[in-house]
Short mmCIF file of all heavy atoms in Angstrom, two decimals:
data_model
loop_
_atom_site.label_atom_id
_atom_site.label_comp_id
_atom_site.label_asym_id
_atom_site.label_seq_id
_atom_site.Cartn_x
_atom_site.Cartn_y
_atom_site.Cartn_z
N PRO A 1 69.06 33.26 -48.37
CA PRO A 1 69.57 32.99 -46.99
C PRO A 1 70.67 32.00 -46.95
O PRO A 1 70.77 31.08 -47.87
CB PRO A 1 68.36 32.50 -46.19
CG PRO A 1 67.16 33.02 -47.00
CD PRO A 1 67.57 33.03 -48.39
N HIS A 2 71.49 32.03 -45.93
CA HIS A 2 72.61 31.16 -45.70
C HIS A 2 72.16 29.71 -45.40
O HIS A 2 71.00 29.55 -44.90
CB HIS A 2 73.42 31.63 -44.49
CG HIS A 2 74.73 31.02 -44.29
ND1 HIS A 2 74.93 29.69 -43.86
CD2 HIS A 2 75.98 31.42 -44.52
CE1 HIS A 2 76.19 29.38 -43.85
NE2 HIS A 2 76.86 30.35 -44.25
N PRO A 3 72.71 28.75 -45.89
CA PRO A 3 72.25 27.29 -45.68
C PRO A 3 72.24 27.06 -44.15
O PRO A 3 73.08 27.56 -43.42
CB PRO A 3 73.19 26.41 -46.42
CG PRO A 3 74.48 27.22 -46.56
CD PRO A 3 74.02 28.61 -46.72
N GLN A 4 71.43 26.14 -43.78
CA GLN A 4 71.31 25.63 -42.40
C GLN A 4 72.59 24.85 -41.95
O GLN A 4 73.13 24.32 -42.85
CB GLN A 4 69.98 24.85 -42.11
CG GLN A 4 68.70 25.61 -42.45
CD GLN A 4 67.53 24.74 -42.34
OE1 GLN A 4 67.57 23.66 -41.78
NE2 GLN A 4 66.32 25.25 -42.75
N GLY A 5 72.75 24.80 -40.70
CA GLY A 5 73.95 24.06 -40.17
C GLY A 5 74.00 22.61 -40.57
O GLY A 5 75.01 22.06 -40.86
N VAL A 6 72.80 21.97 -40.52
CA VAL A 6 72.72 20.56 -40.93
C VAL A 6 73.10 20.30 -42.37
O VAL A 6 73.59 19.15 -42.72
CB VAL A 6 71.34 20.05 -40.65
CG1 VAL A 6 70.29 20.58 -41.60
CG2 VAL A 6 71.30 18.47 -40.65
N GLN A 7 73.08 21.40 -43.21
CA GLN A 7 73.41 21.21 -44.66
C GLN A 7 74.91 21.36 -44.98
O GLN A 7 75.28 21.12 -46.00
CB GLN A 7 72.61 22.22 -45.46
CG GLN A 7 71.05 21.93 -45.41
CD GLN A 7 70.37 23.10 -46.05
OE1 GLN A 7 70.91 24.04 -46.51
NE2 GLN A 7 69.02 22.89 -46.26
N ILE A 8 75.67 21.70 -43.89
CA ILE A 8 77.10 21.86 -44.18
C ILE A 8 77.93 20.93 -43.22
O ILE A 8 79.13 20.74 -43.45
CB ILE A 8 77.60 23.30 -44.11
CG1 ILE A 8 77.35 23.86 -42.70
CG2 ILE A 8 76.83 24.20 -45.15
CD1 ILE A 8 77.84 25.26 -42.50
N GLN A 9 77.25 20.59 -42.04
CA GLN A 9 78.07 19.76 -41.19
C GLN A 9 78.49 18.44 -41.73
O GLN A 9 77.66 17.61 -42.12
CB GLN A 9 77.28 19.64 -39.82
CG GLN A 9 78.05 18.87 -38.69
CD GLN A 9 79.25 19.71 -38.30
OE1 GLN A 9 79.12 20.93 -38.20
NE2 GLN A 9 80.27 18.98 -37.96
N ASN A 10 79.77 18.18 -41.77
CA ASN A 10 80.34 16.89 -42.36
C ASN A 10 80.03 16.78 -43.81
O ASN A 10 80.27 15.68 -44.42
CB ASN A 10 79.69 15.70 -41.63
CG ASN A 10 80.33 15.47 -40.25
OD1 ASN A 10 81.48 15.88 -40.01
ND2 ASN A 10 79.61 14.82 -39.37
N LEU A 11 79.63 17.83 -44.43
CA LEU A 11 79.25 17.70 -45.90
C LEU A 11 80.21 18.67 -46.71
O LEU A 11 80.02 18.66 -47.99
CB LEU A 11 77.87 18.09 -46.15
CG LEU A 11 76.87 17.01 -45.55
CD1 LEU A 11 75.46 17.53 -45.63
CD2 LEU A 11 77.05 15.61 -46.22
N THR A 12 81.05 19.46 -46.16
CA THR A 12 81.93 20.32 -46.93
C THR A 12 83.43 20.06 -46.46
O THR A 12 83.55 19.47 -45.40
CB THR A 12 81.65 21.82 -46.76
OG1 THR A 12 82.08 22.26 -45.43
CG2 THR A 12 80.18 22.18 -46.85
N TRP A 13 84.30 20.54 -47.23
CA TRP A 13 85.78 20.26 -46.91
C TRP A 13 86.06 20.93 -45.58
O TRP A 13 86.94 20.40 -44.80
CB TRP A 13 86.57 20.92 -48.01
CG TRP A 13 88.05 20.73 -47.78
CD1 TRP A 13 88.92 21.68 -47.21
CD2 TRP A 13 88.90 19.64 -48.11
NE1 TRP A 13 90.20 21.20 -47.18
CE2 TRP A 13 90.17 19.88 -47.80
CE3 TRP A 13 88.67 18.35 -48.75
CZ2 TRP A 13 91.23 19.06 -47.91
CZ3 TRP A 13 89.70 17.50 -48.91
CH2 TRP A 13 90.99 17.84 -48.60
N TRP A 14 85.42 22.11 -45.30
CA TRP A 14 85.82 22.83 -44.06
C TRP A 14 85.15 22.37 -42.80
O TRP A 14 85.52 22.74 -41.74
CB TRP A 14 85.55 24.34 -44.33
CG TRP A 14 86.03 24.75 -45.67
CD1 TRP A 14 85.22 25.09 -46.75
CD2 TRP A 14 87.36 24.84 -46.13
NE1 TRP A 14 85.99 25.43 -47.83
CE2 TRP A 14 87.29 25.35 -47.52
CE3 TRP A 14 88.62 24.72 -45.53
CZ2 TRP A 14 88.50 25.55 -48.26
CZ3 TRP A 14 89.75 24.94 -46.26
CH2 TRP A 14 89.65 25.23 -47.67
N THR A 15 84.08 21.60 -43.01
CA THR A 15 83.34 21.20 -41.79
C THR A 15 83.33 19.72 -41.60
O THR A 15 82.52 19.11 -40.93
CB THR A 15 81.86 21.65 -41.99
OG1 THR A 15 81.31 20.98 -43.15
CG2 THR A 15 81.76 23.13 -42.04
N LEU A 16 84.27 19.03 -42.27
CA LEU A 16 84.30 17.51 -42.21
C LEU A 16 84.99 17.16 -40.92
O LEU A 16 86.13 17.54 -40.63
CB LEU A 16 85.09 17.01 -43.35
CG LEU A 16 85.23 15.47 -43.45
CD1 LEU A 16 83.85 14.88 -43.72
CD2 LEU A 16 86.16 15.06 -44.63
N ALA A 17 84.31 16.31 -40.19
CA ALA A 17 84.87 15.79 -38.87
C ALA A 17 85.68 14.51 -39.15
O ALA A 17 85.34 13.77 -39.98
CB ALA A 17 83.74 15.43 -37.87
N GLN A 18 86.74 14.49 -38.36
CA GLN A 18 87.68 13.29 -38.46
C GLN A 18 87.18 12.17 -37.68
O GLN A 18 87.67 11.89 -36.54
CB GLN A 18 89.07 13.70 -38.15
CG GLN A 18 89.67 14.79 -39.05
CD GLN A 18 89.86 14.27 -40.57
OE1 GLN A 18 90.18 13.12 -40.73
NE2 GLN A 18 89.52 15.15 -41.44
N ASP A 19 86.20 11.43 -38.08
CA ASP A 19 85.61 10.36 -37.32
C ASP A 19 86.47 9.12 -37.51
O ASP A 19 87.21 8.96 -38.42
CB ASP A 19 84.12 10.09 -37.82
CG ASP A 19 83.20 11.27 -37.59
OD1 ASP A 19 83.47 11.89 -36.62
OD2 ASP A 19 82.35 11.41 -38.45
N LEU A 20 86.32 8.12 -36.53
CA LEU A 20 86.98 6.88 -36.70
C LEU A 20 86.42 6.15 -37.82
O LEU A 20 85.29 6.20 -38.10
CB LEU A 20 86.77 6.11 -35.39
CG LEU A 20 87.62 6.53 -34.20
CD1 LEU A 20 87.20 5.72 -32.97
CD2 LEU A 20 89.06 6.43 -34.47
N PRO A 21 87.16 5.31 -38.57
CA PRO A 21 86.75 4.56 -39.65
C PRO A 21 85.75 3.53 -39.22
O PRO A 21 85.72 3.08 -38.07
CB PRO A 21 87.99 3.90 -40.25
CG PRO A 21 88.94 3.89 -39.18
CD PRO A 21 88.68 5.18 -38.34
N SER A 22 84.88 3.13 -40.19
CA SER A 22 83.85 2.13 -39.81
C SER A 22 84.52 0.86 -39.32
O SER A 22 85.42 0.26 -39.96
CB SER A 22 82.98 1.79 -41.04
OG SER A 22 82.03 0.76 -40.80
N GLY A 23 83.96 0.30 -38.22
CA GLY A 23 84.61 -1.00 -37.66
C GLY A 23 85.76 -0.82 -36.75
O GLY A 23 86.23 -1.85 -36.16
N VAL A 24 86.23 0.38 -36.51
CA VAL A 24 87.30 0.62 -35.60
C VAL A 24 86.71 1.28 -34.34
O VAL A 24 86.12 2.34 -34.41
CB VAL A 24 88.31 1.48 -36.20
CG1 VAL A 24 89.45 1.80 -35.17
CG2 VAL A 24 88.97 0.88 -37.45
N LYS A 25 86.81 0.57 -33.18
CA LYS A 25 86.31 1.11 -31.96
C LYS A 25 87.18 2.09 -31.33
O LYS A 25 88.39 2.09 -31.53
CB LYS A 25 85.96 -0.06 -30.97
CG LYS A 25 84.95 -1.01 -31.57
CD LYS A 25 84.71 -2.25 -30.51
CE LYS A 25 83.77 -3.21 -31.14
NZ LYS A 25 83.48 -4.34 -30.18
N ALA A 26 86.61 3.05 -30.53
CA ALA A 26 87.43 3.96 -29.83
C ALA A 26 88.37 3.22 -28.84
O ALA A 26 87.92 2.35 -28.08
CB ALA A 26 86.50 4.91 -28.99
N GLY A 27 89.61 3.54 -28.80
CA GLY A 27 90.53 2.84 -28.00
C GLY A 27 91.25 1.64 -28.58
O GLY A 27 92.17 1.10 -28.02
N ASP A 28 90.79 1.29 -29.77
CA ASP A 28 91.48 0.12 -30.47
C ASP A 28 92.65 0.69 -31.23
O ASP A 28 92.57 0.94 -32.51
CB ASP A 28 90.36 -0.47 -31.40
CG ASP A 28 90.90 -1.91 -31.93
OD1 ASP A 28 92.07 -2.21 -31.72
OD2 ASP A 28 90.04 -2.54 -32.55
#
């Protein structure tokens, strides 16, 4: 079977979210 969504979210090149870096607040 296909892997579950939690096993690929933010863990592959194609599903990587562009989150803010650690220590940088939204709007800063």
Side-chain angles (χ1 to χ4, degrees):
H2 195 285
Q4 301 177 9
V6 69
Q7 294 174 353
I8 60 174
Q9 186 62 37
N10 287 333
L11 295 173
T12 73
W13 179 266
W14 316 109
T15 60
L16 184 64
Q18 297 297 320
D19 298 327
L20 286 174
S22 176
V24 178
K25 299 179 180 179
D28 191 348

